[in-house]
Amino acid sequence: SLAIGDAAQQYKAASLLARIQGVLFAATVTPGFEEGFKGASDLLVDRANGETYRSFWRVARARDPQWILITSFNEWHEGSEIEPSVEFGTFYLELTAEEAAAWKAGEPVDDRDGDGVPDAKDYCPDYPGKQETNGC
């Protein structure tokens, strides 16, 4: 997703700058969203059955942030809620617990740029590319 690729590039630059400046770096993650209320800008980032959320977590974790912020817990009007719902049940809370535990445990990230190509096979592991071009 373009949004995930953008985040990967932004987090790479921001985390480096934070370390140079000696300040904390915080990354944000989102399950996806749809600004579906009247007059919205028609922005959409598909949840992709949790893969969008997982990808944002992978990209965030890859930059070793001191904080990870969730955008957002219950923004129902933007379609970015992760609290229990009729639509998703407790899936996003469970996924949050799983991803947060992996981050806290310092588990390695095998796809730093979130492009679906494992770092071991990715010719460009810090740049989100395409699977058909081995990550570039």
Side-chain angles (χ1 to χ4, degrees):
S1 162
L2 180 58
I4 293 168
D6 290 345
Q9 293 294 31
Q10 291 169 0
Y11 294 171
K12 181 179 179 181
S15 66
L16 176 60
L17 182 61
R19 280 160 180 69
I20 290 169
Q21 296 290 328
V23 296
L24 299 178
F25 167 63
T28 60
V29 296
T30 182
F33 61 86
E34 180 175 8
E35 289 193 23
F37 62 91
K38 191 174 182 115
S41 61
D42 294 326
L43 293 175
L44 169 69
V45 174
D46 188 3
R47 288 180 181 240
N49 297 316
E51 281 310 304
T52 296
Y53 200 40
R54 288 182 197 279
S55 293
F56 270 103
W57 274 94
R58 278 193 302 269
V59 166
R61 285 177 35 221
R63 295 296 160 207
D64 197 26
Q66 284 80 24
W67 288 82
I68 294 182
L69 308 171
I70 299 167
T71 306
S72 68
F73 184 73
N74 57 1
E75 293 288 334
W76 292 90
H77 65 284
E78 292 178 353
S80 65
E81 73 280 351
I82 65 168
E83 68 179 318
S85 66
V86 171
E87 223 175 350
F88 304 111
T90 59
F91 176 73
Y92 283 94
L93 284 183
E94 293 165 10
L95 190 51
T96 299
E98 177 186 315
E99 293 292 340
W103 170 55
K104 288 179 182 180
E107 288 182 14
V109 178
D110 66 352
D111 182 18
R112 293 186 307 230
D113 56 16
D115 63 6
V117 181
D119 287 343
K121 296 180 181 179
D122 196 331
Y123 292 151
C124 305
D126 291 319
Y127 177 79
K130 298 177 183 174
Q131 290 185 345
E132 55 271 11
T133 56
N134 290 331
C136 291

